[in-house]
Amino acid sequence: MSQFLISKLKEEYGCFFDRILAGFESKRVTTFRVNTVKATNEEVLSFLDERGIEYESVPWYDSAFIVRSNVDLRKLDIYDKGMIYIQSLSSMLPPIVLEPGCEKILDMTAAPGGKTTEIYNLSGGLALITAVEKNRIRADRLKYNLEKQGASATVIVGDATKLDEFFSFDKILLDAPCSGSGTLSDVNSFNDYLLDSSVKVQECLLNKALSVLKKGHIMVYSTCSILKEENEFQLDKLIKAGRIEIVEIDTDIFKDVLCLPTLIKGTVCVCPSALYEGFFIAKIRKIC
Ligand code: SAM
């Protein structure tokens, strides 16, 4: 593991460092979400039962399941038909916090579309979603997943920091590009350049998000990083500038989730573990 990351995590989390390290070292389980547009839980679970595939439910989400058998879900018919979406549990949390309904929603950095399709599902198919993705190859994957999942969204392939100010959204999900410090697959390649460049992109995206979000409306900011530079420090600058206020996240959802302390009350930082990737989530109201 990179020395730079070890020092950062020790500096920021002190006595919680060992817990984080244990989380990185544990083998991550496969989890999925039933795509309620195409299937019911009963249909998916009876498919699994018939094949002797073991699973567990997730206390905070009716549509989410943990796979306990050694099976490649990608080889199953239910995957092929878009009846399920393989997604980490942590990644399922931001759309739930967003509480999408029949409104204009911007998914600002959307590919491969796990959260876009989840927003569509949670809104009962009513959300008018605009999904932006800068990377062409990833944008193709986003379009493919939307179609496969039967979800509808307007896809813009381009840089979200350059979105026209003419746009105006009721809600925004900014699941920002980040250093990935919560999900590390290659812990050795982590360095200060990666962190600095992530922070710069996040700042630009946050500023643009605030310029296209309606005043008084809600945005969810999330990253798969647990470093404060990418999370609390980013929000702190906007709070001090009087541009946002934090809406406390209802922690009922998180009572079964192991969390790390955060510097801003009402925000959530999920601790890496076998079940969860490290993830930061904040619910924000635009003041001006
Ligand atoms: N929300 C996605 C999901 O749940 O499937 C994951 C998003 S991933 C954390 C961040 C994405 O942002 C990447 O696909 C990356 O290519 C894209 N991205 C990075 N900079 C961007 C920008 N300036 N405008 C739009 N997309 C950007």
Side-chain angles (χ1 to χ4, degrees):
M1 184 163 168
S2 115
Q3 206 47 54
F4 173 72
L5 183 61
I6 291 176
S7 325
K8 274 265 151 229
L9 290 172
K10 281 187 174 165
E11 176 193 316
E12 296 188 5
Y13 286 103
C15 61
F16 292 93
F17 174 76
D18 289 343
R19 191 179 286 183
I20 295 169
L21 199 60
F24 284 148
E25 285 168 358
S26 50
K27 190 173 165 354
R28 196 68 38 77
V29 296
T30 302
T31 53
F32 71 88
R33 186 167 51 74
V34 173
N35 174 17
T36 52
V37 173
K38 287 204 165 176
T40 61
N41 281 8
E42 290 66 34
E43 284 169 326
V44 169
L45 299 184
S46 61
F47 180 95
L48 297 178
D49 289 339
E50 280 159 21
R51 284 151 189 84
I53 298 168
E54 289 175 26
Y55 53 84
E56 245 174 64
S57 56
V58 174
W60 46 266
Y61 200 0
D62 282 349
S63 307
F65 295 89
I66 302 158
V67 181
R68 289 302 183 190
S69 296
N70 189 12
V71 61
D72 184 355
L73 291 183
R74 287 181 179 79
K75 295 200 170 128
L76 302 179
D77 217 31
I78 47 170
Y79 176 81
D80 249 6
K81 290 184 173 151
M83 294 163 74
I84 59 166
Y85 191 92
I86 300 170
Q87 188 175 3
S88 82
L89 292 181
S90 298
S91 164
M92 295 180 201
L93 290 164
I96 295 177
V97 173
L98 190 68
E99 298 181 279
C102 177
E103 50 203 342
K104 281 200 290 175
I105 299 181
L106 172 65
D107 186 356
M108 210 167 171
T109 51
K115 297 185 190 65
T116 323
T117 53
E118 189 184 349
I119 289 171
Y120 186 80
N121 277 16
L122 288 170
S123 76
L126 296 173
L128 300 166
I129 307 170
T130 303
V132 187
E133 173 55 48
K134 184 178 174 180
N135 180 298
R136 280 195 172 275
I137 294 167
R138 288 177 66 87
D140 284 345
R141 190 76 203 168
L142 167 66
K143 289 178 193 164
Y144 170 83
N145 281 332
L146 284 167
E147 197 178 328
K148 182 169 174 175
Q149 300 283 307
S152 141
T154 304
V155 175
I156 299 178
V157 184
D159 184 345
T161 65
K162 300 200 164 60
L163 271 179
D164 200 312
E165 307 274 321
F166 163 82
F167 283 108
S168 164
F169 294 95
D170 299 313
K171 273 185 187 159
I172 295 180
L173 173 66
L174 172 51
D175 183 43
C178 68
S179 68
S181 73
T183 61
L184 288 176
S185 47
D186 183 5
V187 283
N188 295 317
S189 66
F190 196 94
N191 57 38
D192 55 349
Y193 172 76
L194 175 65
L195 180 58
D196 289 349
S197 55
S198 299
V199 167
K200 285 193 186 104
V201 178
Q202 289 153 2
E203 261 173 15
C204 295
L205 287 164
L206 274 162
N207 279 316
K208 176 56 76 173
L210 288 176
S211 69
V212 294
L213 178 65
K214 290 179 186 168
K215 199 171 160 183
H217 283 240
I218 295 293
M219 165 167 126
V220 169
Y221 176 73
S222 58
T223 70
C224 59
S225 173
I226 54 174
L227 290 177
K228 303 199 179 299
E229 286 83 347
E230 299 178 82
N231 300 326
E232 292 101 313
F233 296 170
Q234 293 284 27
L235 301 181
D236 202 41
K237 286 179 260 182
L238 297 168
I239 295 168
K240 289 199 171 110
R243 298 185 67 197
I244 62 163
E245 63 183 8
I246 298 296
V247 178
E248 284 192 32
I249 293 173
D250 179 359
T251 44
D252 267 6
I253 310 173
F254 295 91
K255 63 178 183 298
D256 297 297
V257 184
L258 182 63
C259 290
L260 293 165
T262 70
L263 299 175
I264 302 179
K265 191 166 179 273
T267 62
V268 170
C269 188
V270 178
C271 184
S273 64
L275 277 183
Y276 292 89
E277 295 176 317
F279 227 86
F280 177 84
I281 308 162
K283 193 170 189 175
I284 294 162
R285 180 175 292 111
K286 172 178 169 174
I287 298 176
C288 68

